[in-house]
Amino acid sequence: QKEVEQNSGPLSVPEGAIASLNCTYSDRGSQSFFWYRQYSGKSPELIMSIYSNGDKEDGRFTAQLNKASQYVSLLIRDSQPSDSATYLCAVNGQGAQKLVFGQGTRLTINP
Amino acid sequence: EAGVTQSPTHLIKTRGQQATLRCSPISGHTSVYWYQQALGLGLQFLLWYDEGEERNRGNFPPRFSGRQFPNYSSELNVNALELEDSALYLCASSSPWGWATDTQYFGPGTRLTVL
């Protein structure tokens, strides 16, 4: 079983709609959760971090965490074509490598 | 404040040669991480250095090695290059202070091409 799982996509969403990206993790002891955005050929850019159950909002982005279900999601409201990228979910590891990354979900926003 | 920097941006080598990639972390960060991202694939963890020591390495052969210098910059060496080593090599750093010590910030990467 993969430690951090994401649907690889591609996920296609019309411009202006809400994009919903999901991630599950296997280690119940995980404490820190991150979403990174990666444009093609570029390096990952940190979007949000979340540490407590519930929602955390930052502009058009909302991260949601449910530790009981071992589930973390990212919502992008009013999606723009510039949001088209691969979104990586990362979860803190057991000290061995600090963060474990999912394979990423490729998101395409259609004008 | 400057972010993580990496050099060179691009590197072209031939099979069997050695490649050296360099990374400077964000000022004040002591941990440096190296990842390999082959085309179309996810991030594969390579190495983690902290305070000059190798803390962990991923599932890569010994010809992938590195070190961290007293100023916390780091070097990744890949010996006996193979075609499948062609990838984007990413360096990230994290701070030892506060409660978000596992937040990693990435550099722009080095694109290694092995011919």
Side-chain angles (χ1 to χ4, degrees):
Chain A
Q1 182 189 9
K2 288 184 182 178
E3 296 180 69
V4 179
E5 292 206 46
Q6 297 181 253
N7 187 323
S8 62
L11 175 64
S12 189
V13 173
E15 183 176 357
I18 296 175
S20 178
L21 303 158
N22 305 315
C23 171
T24 59
Y25 59 94
S26 60
D27 184 358
R28 284 195 170 275
S30 299
Q31 299 293 322
S32 311
F33 307 86
F34 305 86
W35 283 100
Y36 288 82
R37 176 177 62 197
Q38 186 176 25
Y39 293 112
S40 181
K42 303 295 185 182
S43 65
E45 170 192 12
L46 180 67
I47 299 175
M48 292 190 70
S49 58
I50 186 167
Y51 302 90
S52 304
N53 278 328
D55 294 359
K56 179 181 178 183
E57 188 174 318
D58 184 0
R60 295 186 297 111
F61 299 95
T62 299
Q64 299 175 316
L65 174 61
N66 184 326
K67 290 185 179 180
S69 300
Q70 296 173 248
Y71 177 92
V72 58
S73 66
L74 179 71
L75 301 178
I76 307 174
R77 290 182 302 281
D78 188 24
S79 297
Q80 303 296 310
S82 59
D83 295 326
S84 297
T86 295
Y87 289 80
L88 301 169
C89 172
V91 177
N92 76 326
Q94 290 299 307
Q97 65 184 73
K98 287 290 187 80
L99 286 186
V100 179
F101 285 83
Q103 288 295 99
T105 297
R106 188 155 58 93
L107 173 66
T108 300
I109 306 300
N110 300 308
Chain B
E1 180 185 278
V4 177
T5 60
Q6 292 186 245
S7 64
T9 304
H10 295 92
L11 189 58
I12 300 175
K13 295 285 186 178
T14 56
R15 284 179 60 189
Q17 286 189 313
Q18 179 196 36
T20 298
L21 289 65
R22 297 180 175 84
C23 171
S24 290
I26 292 171
S27 178
H29 287 194
T30 60
S31 276
V32 170
Y33 311 83
W34 287 96
Y35 294 88
Q36 181 197 66
Q37 189 174 39
L39 191 63
L41 298 181
L43 294 173
Q44 302 296 314
F45 170 70
L46 266 167
L47 289 159
W48 168 25
Y49 290 96
D50 183 58
E51 295 286 356
E53 301 285 331
E54 182 181 301
R55 300 299 182 184
N56 198 31
R57 65 180 294 130
N59 189 25
F60 281 84
R63 58 191 186 83
F64 287 84
S65 65
R67 54 181 171 166
Q68 186 177 34
F69 300 98
N71 66 353
Y72 303 113
S73 66
S74 177
E75 200 173 81
L76 173 68
N77 294 294
V78 187
N79 294 319
L81 284 165
E82 300 179 1
L83 296 178
E84 53 264 34
D85 295 333
S86 295
L88 180 65
Y89 288 83
L90 293 161
C91 172
S93 72
S94 67
S95 170
W97 311 112
W99 50 274
T101 59
D102 49 10
T103 303
Q104 294 182 20
Y105 299 91
F106 284 84
T110 293
R111 173 74 61 185
L112 172 64
T113 302
V114 182
L115 303 175

Coordinates of all heavy atoms in Angstrom, one line a residue, chain B residues 28-106:
Chain B
G28 N 19.5 30.3 7.2 CA 18.9 29.8 8.4 C 18.4 28.4 8.4 O 18.2 27.8 9.5
H29 N 18.2 27.8 7.2 CA 17.8 26.4 7.1 C 19.0 25.5 7.2 O 20.1 25.8 6.6 CB 17.1 26.2 5.8 CG 15.7 26.8 5.7 ND1 14.8 26.4 4.8 CD2 15.1 27.7 6.6 CE1 13.7 27.1 5.0 NE2 13.8 27.8 6.1
T30 N 18.8 24.4 8.0 CA 20.0 23.5 8.2 C 19.8 22.2 7.5 O 20.7 21.4 7.3 CB 20.2 23.3 9.7 OG1 19.1 22.7 10.2 CG2 20.6 24.6 10.4
S31 N 18.5 21.9 7.1 CA 18.3 20.6 6.5 C 18.2 20.8 4.9 O 17.5 21.8 4.5 CB 16.9 20.0 7.0 OG 17.1 19.3 8.1
V32 N 18.8 19.9 4.2 CA 18.7 19.9 2.8 C 18.3 18.5 2.3 O 18.7 17.5 2.8 CB 20.1 20.2 2.1 CG1 20.0 20.0 0.6 CG2 20.4 21.7 2.4
Y33 N 17.3 18.5 1.4 CA 16.8 17.3 0.8 C 17.0 17.3 -0.7 O 16.9 18.3 -1.4 CB 15.3 17.2 1.1 CG 14.9 17.5 2.5 CD1 14.7 18.8 2.9 CD2 14.6 16.4 3.4 CE1 14.3 19.1 4.2 CE2 14.3 16.7 4.7 CZ 14.1 18.0 5.1 OH 13.8 18.3 6.4
W34 N 17.3 16.1 -1.2 CA 17.4 15.9 -2.7 C 16.4 14.9 -3.2 O 16.1 13.9 -2.6 CB 18.8 15.4 -3.0 CG 19.9 16.3 -2.9 CD1 20.8 16.5 -1.8 CD2 20.4 17.3 -3.8 NE1 21.7 17.5 -2.0 CE2 21.4 18.0 -3.3 CE3 19.9 17.6 -5.1 CZ2 22.1 19.1 -4.0 CZ3 20.6 18.7 -5.8 CH2 21.7 19.4 -5.2
Y35 N 15.8 15.3 -4.3 CA 14.8 14.5 -5.0 C 15.1 14.3 -6.4 O 15.7 15.2 -7.0 CB 13.4 15.1 -4.9 CG 12.8 15.2 -3.5 CD1 13.1 16.3 -2.7 CD2 12.0 14.2 -2.9 CE1 12.6 16.4 -1.4 CE2 11.5 14.3 -1.7 CZ 11.8 15.4 -0.9 OH 11.2 15.5 0.4
Q36 N 14.7 13.2 -7.0 CA 14.8 13.0 -8.4 C 13.4 12.9 -9.0 O 12.5 12.3 -8.4 CB 15.5 11.6 -8.7 CG 15.7 11.4 -10.2 CD 16.0 9.9 -10.5 OE1 15.2 9.0 -10.3 NE2 17.2 9.7 -11.0
Q37 N 13.2 13.6 -10.1 CA 11.9 13.5 -10.7 C 12.1 13.2 -12.2 O 12.4 14.1 -13.0 CB 11.1 14.8 -10.6 CG 9.7 14.7 -11.1 CD 8.9 16.0 -10.7 OE1 9.3 17.1 -10.8 NE2 7.6 15.8 -10.4
A38 N 12.0 12.0 -12.6 CA 12.1 11.6 -14.0 C 10.8 12.1 -14.7 O 9.8 12.3 -14.1 CB 12.3 10.1 -14.1
L39 N 10.9 12.2 -16.0 CA 9.8 12.7 -16.8 C 8.5 12.0 -16.6 O 8.5 10.8 -16.7 CB 10.2 12.6 -18.3 CG 9.3 13.4 -19.3 CD1 9.4 14.9 -19.0 CD2 9.7 13.1 -20.7
G40 N 7.5 12.7 -16.2 CA 6.2 12.2 -16.0 C 6.0 11.4 -14.7 O 4.9 10.9 -14.4
L41 N 7.0 11.4 -13.9 CA 7.0 10.6 -12.6 C 6.9 11.5 -11.4 O 7.2 12.7 -11.5 CB 8.1 9.6 -12.5 CG 8.3 8.6 -13.6 CD1 9.5 7.7 -13.3 CD2 7.0 7.7 -13.6
G42 N 6.6 11.0 -10.3 CA 6.6 11.7 -9.0 C 7.9 12.0 -8.5 O 9.0 11.6 -9.0
L43 N 8.0 12.7 -7.3 CA 9.2 12.9 -6.6 C 9.7 11.7 -6.0 O 9.0 11.0 -5.2 CB 9.0 14.0 -5.6 CG 8.6 15.4 -6.0 CD1 8.3 16.3 -4.8 CD2 9.8 16.0 -6.8
Q44 N 11.0 11.3 -6.2 CA 11.6 10.2 -5.6 C 12.6 10.7 -4.6 O 13.6 11.4 -5.0 CB 12.2 9.3 -6.6 CG 11.3 8.7 -7.7 CD 10.2 7.9 -7.1 OE1 10.5 7.0 -6.3 NE2 9.0 8.1 -7.5
F45 N 12.5 10.4 -3.4 CA 13.4 10.9 -2.3 C 14.8 10.3 -2.5 O 14.9 9.0 -2.6 CB 12.8 10.6 -1.0 CG 13.8 10.8 0.2 CD1 14.2 12.1 0.5 CD2 14.3 9.7 0.9 CE1 15.1 12.3 1.6 CE2 15.2 9.9 1.9 CZ 15.6 11.2 2.3
L46 N 15.8 11.1 -2.5 CA 17.2 10.6 -2.7 C 17.9 10.7 -1.4 O 18.4 9.6 -0.9 CB 17.9 11.6 -3.7 CG 18.0 11.2 -5.1 CD1 18.5 12.3 -6.0 CD2 18.9 10.0 -5.3
L47 N 18.1 11.9 -0.8 CA 19.0 12.0 0.4 C 18.4 13.2 1.2 O 17.8 14.1 0.8 CB 20.4 12.4 -0.1 CG 21.2 11.3 -0.8 CD1 22.3 11.9 -1.6 CD2 21.8 10.4 0.3
W48 N 18.8 13.1 2.5 CA 18.5 14.1 3.5 C 19.7 14.4 4.3 O 20.3 13.5 4.9 CB 17.3 13.7 4.4 CG 17.0 14.6 5.6 CD1 17.4 15.9 5.7 CD2 16.4 14.2 6.8 NE1 17.0 16.3 7.0 CE2 16.4 15.3 7.7 CE3 15.9 13.0 7.2 CZ2 15.8 15.3 8.9 CZ3 15.3 12.9 8.5 CH2 15.3 14.1 9.3
Y49 N 20.1 15.7 4.3 CA 21.3 16.1 5.1 C 20.8 17.1 6.2 O 20.0 18.0 5.9 CB 22.4 16.7 4.3 CG 23.0 15.7 3.4 CD1 22.7 15.6 2.1 CD2 24.1 15.0 3.9 CE1 23.3 14.7 1.3 CE2 24.7 14.0 3.1 CZ 24.3 13.9 1.8 OH 24.9 13.0 1.0
D50 N 21.3 17.0 7.4 CA 21.0 17.9 8.4 C 22.3 18.1 9.3 O 22.9 17.1 9.7 CB 19.9 17.4 9.3 CG 19.5 18.5 10.3 OD1 19.2 19.6 10.0 OD2 19.5 18.1 11.5
E51 N 22.6 19.4 9.5 CA 23.8 19.7 10.3 C 25.1 18.9 9.9 O 25.8 18.4 10.7 CB 23.5 19.4 11.8 CG 22.5 20.3 12.4 CD 22.9 21.7 12.7 OE1 24.2 21.9 12.5 OE2 22.1 22.5 13.1
G52 N 25.2 18.8 8.6 CA 26.4 18.2 8.0 C 26.4 16.7 7.9 O 27.3 16.0 7.4
E53 N 25.3 16.0 8.4 CA 25.3 14.6 8.5 C 24.2 14.1 7.5 O 23.1 14.7 7.4 CB 24.9 14.1 9.9 CG 25.9 14.5 11.0 CD 27.2 13.7 10.9 OE1 27.1 12.5 10.5 OE2 28.2 14.2 11.3
E54 N 24.5 12.9 6.9 CA 23.4 12.2 6.1 C 22.4 11.6 7.1 O 22.8 10.7 7.9 CB 24.0 11.2 5.2 CG 23.0 10.5 4.3 CD 23.6 9.5 3.4 OE1 24.5 9.8 2.6 OE2 23.2 8.3 3.5
R55 N 21.2 12.0 7.1 CA 20.2 11.4 8.0 C 19.4 10.3 7.4 O 19.0 9.4 8.1 CB 19.2 12.5 8.3 CG 19.8 13.8 9.0 CD 20.4 13.4 10.3 NE 21.0 14.6 11.0 CZ 21.7 14.6 12.1 NH1 21.9 13.4 12.7 NH2 22.1 15.7 12.6
N56 N 19.2 10.3 6.1 CA 18.5 9.2 5.5 C 18.8 9.2 4.0 O 19.1 10.3 3.4 CB 17.0 9.2 5.8 CG 16.3 7.9 5.5 OD1 16.9 6.8 5.7 ND2 15.1 7.9 5.1
R57 N 18.6 8.1 3.3 CA 18.7 8.0 1.9 C 17.6 7.2 1.3 O 17.1 6.2 2.0 CB 20.1 7.6 1.4 CG 20.4 6.1 1.7 CD 21.8 5.8 1.1 NE 21.8 5.8 -0.3 CZ 22.7 6.5 -1.1 NH1 23.6 7.2 -0.5 NH2 22.7 6.4 -2.4
G58 N 17.1 7.5 0.1 CA 16.1 6.7 -0.5 C 16.6 5.5 -1.2 O 17.8 5.1 -1.0
N59 N 15.8 4.8 -1.9 CA 16.2 3.5 -2.6 C 16.9 3.8 -3.9 O 16.4 3.5 -5.0 CB 14.9 2.7 -2.8 CG 15.2 1.3 -3.3 OD1 16.3 0.8 -3.0 ND2 14.3 0.7 -4.0
F60 N 18.1 4.3 -3.7 CA 19.0 4.6 -4.9 C 20.3 3.9 -4.7 O 20.8 3.7 -3.5 CB 19.2 6.1 -5.0 CG 18.0 6.8 -5.7 CD1 16.9 7.2 -5.0 CD2 18.0 7.0 -7.1 CE1 15.8 7.8 -5.5 CE2 16.9 7.7 -7.7 CZ 15.8 8.0 -6.9
P61 N 21.0 3.5 -5.8 CA 22.3 2.9 -5.6 C 23.4 3.8 -5.0 O 23.2 5.0 -5.1 CB 22.6 2.5 -7.1 CG 21.8 3.4 -7.9 CD 20.6 3.7 -7.2
P62 N 24.5 3.2 -4.6 CA 25.5 4.0 -3.9 C 26.2 5.0 -4.8 O 26.9 5.9 -4.3 CB 26.5 2.9 -3.4 CG 25.7 1.7 -3.4 CD 24.7 1.8 -4.4
R63 N 26.0 4.9 -6.1 CA 26.7 5.9 -7.0 C 26.0 7.2 -6.9 O 26.5 8.2 -7.4 CB 26.7 5.4 -8.5 CG 25.3 5.1 -9.0 CD 25.4 4.3 -10.4 NE 24.1 4.2 -11.0 CZ 23.6 5.1 -11.7 NH1 24.2 6.3 -11.9 NH2 22.4 5.0 -12.2
F64 N 24.9 7.3 -6.2 CA 24.3 8.6 -5.8 C 24.8 8.9 -4.4 O 24.5 8.1 -3.5 CB 22.8 8.5 -5.8 CG 22.1 8.4 -7.2 CD1 22.0 7.2 -7.8 CD2 21.7 9.6 -7.8 CE1 21.4 7.2 -9.1 CE2 21.1 9.5 -9.1 CZ 21.0 8.3 -9.7
S65 N 25.5 10.0 -4.3 CA 26.0 10.3 -3.0 C 26.1 11.9 -2.9 O 25.8 12.6 -3.9 CB 27.5 9.8 -2.8 OG 28.3 10.4 -3.7
G66 N 26.4 12.3 -1.7 CA 26.4 13.8 -1.5 C 27.1 14.2 -0.3 O 27.6 13.3 0.5
R67 N 27.0 15.4 0.0 CA 27.6 15.9 1.3 C 26.9 17.3 1.6 O 26.4 17.9 0.7 CB 29.1 16.0 1.3 CG 29.7 16.8 0.1 CD 31.2 16.8 0.2 NE 31.8 17.4 -1.0 CZ 33.0 17.8 -1.1 NH1 33.8 17.6 -0.1 NH2 33.5 18.3 -2.2
Q68 N 27.1 17.7 2.8 CA 26.6 19.0 3.2 C 27.8 19.7 3.9 O 28.5 19.1 4.7 CB 25.5 18.9 4.2 CG 24.9 20.3 4.6 CD 23.7 20.2 5.5 OE1 23.6 19.3 6.4 NE2 22.7 21.1 5.3
F69 N 28.0 20.9 3.5 CA 29.1 21.7 3.9 C 28.8 22.5 5.2 O 27.6 22.6 5.6 CB 29.6 22.7 2.8 CG 30.0 21.9 1.6 CD1 29.1 21.8 0.5 CD2 31.2 21.4 1.5 CE1 29.5 21.1 -0.6 CE2 31.6 20.7 0.3 CZ 30.7 20.6 -0.7
P70 N 29.8 23.0 5.9 CA 29.6 23.8 7.1 C 28.6 24.9 7.0 O 27.9 25.3 7.9 CB 31.0 24.2 7.6 CG 31.9 23.2 7.0 CD 31.3 22.8 5.7
N71 N 28.5 25.5 5.8 CA 27.6 26.6 5.6 C 26.2 26.1 5.2 O 25.3 26.9 4.7 CB 28.1 27.6 4.5 CG 28.2 27.0 3.1 OD1 27.9 25.8 2.9 ND2 28.5 27.8 2.1
Y72 N 26.0 24.8 5.3 CA 24.7 24.1 5.0 C 24.4 23.9 3.5 O 23.4 23.3 3.2 CB 23.5 24.7 5.7 CG 23.8 24.8 7.2 CD1 23.9 26.1 7.8 CD2 23.8 23.7 8.0 CE1 24.2 26.1 9.2 CE2 24.1 23.7 9.3 CZ 24.2 25.0 9.9 OH 24.5 25.0 11.3
S73 N 25.2 24.4 2.6 CA 25.0 24.1 1.2 C 25.3 22.7 1.0 O 25.9 22.0 1.9 CB 25.9 25.0 0.3 OG 27.3 24.7 0.5
S74 N 24.9 22.1 -0.1 CA 25.0 20.7 -0.3 C 25.4 20.4 -1.8 O 25.2 21.2 -2.7 CB 23.7 20.0 0.0 OG 23.7 18.6 -0.2
E75 N 25.9 19.3 -2.0 CA 26.4 18.8 -3.3 C 25.8 17.4 -3.5 O 25.9 16.6 -2.5 CB 27.9 18.8 -3.3 CG 28.6 18.8 -4.6 CD 30.1 18.9 -4.3 OE1 30.7 17.9 -4.0 OE2 30.6 20.0 -4.5
L76 N 25.3 17.1 -4.7 CA 24.9 15.8 -5.0 C 25.8 15.3 -6.1 O 26.0 16.0 -7.1 CB 23.4 15.8 -5.5 CG 22.9 14.5 -6.1 CD1 22.8 13.4 -4.9 CD2 21.5 14.7 -6.7
N77 N 26.4 14.1 -5.9 CA 27.2 13.5 -7.0 C 26.6 12.3 -7.5 O 26.1 11.5 -6.7 CB 28.6 13.2 -6.3 CG 29.4 14.4 -5.9 OD1 29.8 15.2 -6.8 ND2 29.5 14.6 -4.6
V78 N 26.6 12.2 -8.8 CA 26.1 10.9 -9.4 C 27.3 10.4 -10.3 O 27.7 11.0 -11.2 CB 24.9 11.2 -10.3 CG1 24.3 9.9 -10.8 CG2 23.8 12.0 -9.6
N79 N 27.8 9.2 -9.9 CA 28.9 8.6 -10.6 C 28.4 7.6 -11.7 O 27.2 7.1 -11.6 CB 29.8 7.9 -9.6 CG 30.5 8.8 -8.7 OD1 30.9 9.9 -9.1 ND2 30.5 8.4 -7.4
A80 N 29.2 7.3 -12.6 CA 28.9 6.3 -13.6 C 27.5 6.5 -14.2 O 26.7 5.6 -14.1 CB 29.1 4.9 -13.0
L81 N 27.3 7.7 -14.7 CA 26.0 8.0 -15.2 C 25.4 7.0 -16.2 O 26.1 6.5 -17.1 CB 26.0 9.4 -15.9 CG 26.1 10.6 -14.9 CD1 26.5 11.9 -15.6 CD2 24.8 10.8 -14.1
E82 N 24.1 6.8 -16.0 CA 23.3 5.9 -16.9 C 22.2 6.8 -17.5 O 21.8 7.8 -17.0 CB 22.7 4.8 -16.1 CG 23.8 3.9 -15.4 CD 23.2 2.8 -14.6 OE1 21.9 2.6 -14.6 OE2 23.9 2.0 -14.0
L83 N 21.7 6.3 -18.7 CA 20.7 7.0 -19.4 C 19.5 7.3 -18.6 O 18.9 8.4 -18.7 CB 20.3 6.2 -20.7 CG 21.3 6.0 -21.7 CD1 20.8 5.2 -22.9 CD2 21.9 7.3 -22.3
E84 N 19.1 6.4 -17.7 CA 17.9 6.6 -16.9 C 18.1 7.6 -15.7 O 17.2 7.8 -15.0 CB 17.4 5.2 -16.3 CG 18.5 4.4 -15.6 CD 19.1 3.4 -16.5 OE1 19.3 3.7 -17.7 OE2 19.5 2.3 -16.0
D85 N 19.3 8.1 -15.6 CA 19.6 9.1 -14.6 C 19.1 10.5 -15.1 O 19.1 11.5 -14.3 CB 21.0 9.2 -14.2 CG 21.6 8.0 -13.6 OD1 20.7 7.3 -12.9 OD2 22.8 7.7 -13.7
S86 N 18.7 10.6 -16.4 CA 18.2 11.8 -16.9 C 16.9 12.2 -16.2 O 16.0 11.4 -16.2 CB 17.9 11.7 -18.4 OG 19.1 11.4 -19.1
A87 N 16.9 13.4 -15.6 CA 15.8 13.8 -14.7 C 16.0 15.2 -14.3 O 17.0 15.8 -14.5 CB 15.6 12.8 -13.5
L88 N 14.9 15.7 -13.6 CA 15.0 17.0 -12.9 C 15.4 16.6 -11.5 O 14.7 15.8 -10.8 CB 13.7 17.7 -12.9 CG 13.6 19.0 -12.2 CD1 14.5 20.1 -12.9 CD2 12.1 19.5 -12.2
Y89 N 16.5 17.2 -11.0 CA 16.9 17.0 -9.7 C 16.6 18.2 -8.8 O 17.0 19.3 -9.1 CB 18.4 16.7 -9.6 CG 18.7 15.3 -10.2 CD1 18.8 15.1 -11.5 CD2 18.8 14.2 -9.3 CE1 19.1 13.8 -12.0 CE2 19.0 12.9 -9.8 CZ 19.2 12.8 -11.2 OH 19.4 11.5 -11.7
L90 N 15.8 18.0 -7.8 CA 15.3 19.1 -7.0 C 15.9 19.0 -5.6 O 16.1 18.0 -5.0 CB 13.8 18.9 -6.8 CG 13.0 19.2 -8.1 CD1 11.6 18.6 -8.0 CD2 12.9 20.6 -8.4
C91 N 16.3 20.2 -5.1 CA 16.8 20.4 -3.8 C 15.7 21.1 -3.0 O 15.1 22.0 -3.5 CB 18.1 21.1 -3.8 SG 18.7 21.6 -2.2
A92 N 15.6 20.8 -1.7 CA 14.6 21.5 -0.8 C 15.3 21.7 0.5 O 16.3 21.0 0.8 CB 13.3 20.7 -0.6
S93 N 14.9 22.7 1.2 CA 15.4 23.0 2.5 C 14.3 23.2 3.5 O 13.2 23.6 3.2 CB 16.4 24.2 2.5 OG 15.8 25.4 2.4
S94 N 14.7 23.0 4.8 CA 13.7 23.3 5.9 C 14.4 23.9 7.1 O 15.6 23.7 7.2 CB 12.9 22.0 6.3 OG 13.8 21.1 6.9
S95 N 13.6 24.6 7.9 CA 14.2 25.3 9.0 C 14.2 24.3 10.3 O 13.3 23.5 10.4 CB 13.3 26.5 9.3 OG 13.7 27.1 10.6
P96 N 15.2 24.5 11.1 CA 15.2 23.7 12.4 C 14.4 24.3 13.5 O 14.2 23.8 14.6 CB 16.7 23.7 12.7 CG 17.2 25.0 12.3 CD 16.4 25.3 11.0
W97 N 13.9 25.6 13.2 CA 13.2 26.3 14.3 C 11.7 26.3 14.2 O 11.2 26.1 13.1 CB 13.7 27.8 14.3 CG 15.2 27.9 14.2 CD1 15.9 28.3 13.2 CD2 16.1 27.5 15.2 NE1 17.3 28.3 13.5 CE2 17.4 27.8 14.7 CE3 16.0 27.0 16.5 CZ2 18.6 27.5 15.5 CZ3 17.1 26.7 17.2 CH2 18.4 27.0 16.7
G98 N 11.0 26.5 15.3 CA 9.6 26.6 15.3 C 8.9 25.2 15.2 O 9.6 24.2 15.3
W99 N 7.7 25.2 14.9 CA 6.9 24.0 14.9 C 6.7 23.5 13.5 O 6.1 22.4 13.3 CB 5.5 24.2 15.5 CG 4.8 25.5 15.0 CD1 5.0 26.7 15.5 CD2 3.9 25.5 13.9 NE1 4.2 27.6 14.7 CE2 3.5 26.9 13.8 CE3 3.3 24.6 13.1 CZ2 2.6 27.3 12.8 CZ3 2.4 25.0 12.1 CH2 2.1 26.4 12.0
A100 N 7.1 24.2 12.5 CA 6.9 23.7 11.1 C 8.3 23.3 10.5 O 8.6 23.6 9.4 CB 6.3 24.8 10.2
T101 N 9.0 22.4 11.2 CA 10.3 22.0 10.8 C 10.3 21.1 9.6 O 11.3 20.8 9.0 CB 11.1 21.4 11.9 OG1 10.4 20.3 12.4 CG2 11.3 22.4 13.1
D102 N 9.1 20.6 9.3 CA 9.1 19.6 8.1 C 8.5 20.3 6.9 O 8.3 19.6 5.9 CB 8.2 18.4 8.5 CG 6.9 18.7 9.1 OD1 6.5 19.9 9.1 OD2 6.2 17.8 9.6
T103 N 8.3 21.6 6.9 CA 7.9 22.3 5.7 C 9.1 22.5 4.8 O 10.1 23.1 5.2 CB 7.4 23.7 6.1 OG1 6.3 23.6 7.0 CG2 6.9 24.4 4.8
Q104 N 9.0 22.0 3.6 CA 10.2 22.0 2.7 C 9.9 23.0 1.6 O 8.8 23.1 1.0 CB 10.4 20.6 2.1 CG 10.8 19.6 3.1 CD 11.1 18.2 2.5 OE1 11.4 18.1 1.3 NE2 11.2 17.2 3.4
Y105 N 10.9 23.8 1.3 CA 10.9 24.8 0.2 C 11.8 24.4 -0.9 O 13.0 24.1 -0.6 CB 11.2 26.2 0.7 CG 10.2 26.6 1.8 CD1 10.5 26.4 3.1 CD2 9.1 27.3 1.5 CE1 9.6 26.8 4.1 CE2 8.2 27.7 2.4 CZ 8.5 27.4 3.8 OH 7.6 27.8 4.7
F106 N 11.3 24.3 -2.1 CA 12.1 23.8 -3.2 C 12.9 24.9 -4.0 O 12.4 26.0 -4.2 CB 11.2 23.0 -4.2 CG 10.8 21.7 -3.7 CD1 9.7 21.6 -2.8 CD2 11.5 20.5 -4.0 CE1 9.3 20.3 -2.3 CE2 11.1 19.3 -3.5 CZ 10.0 19.2 -2.7

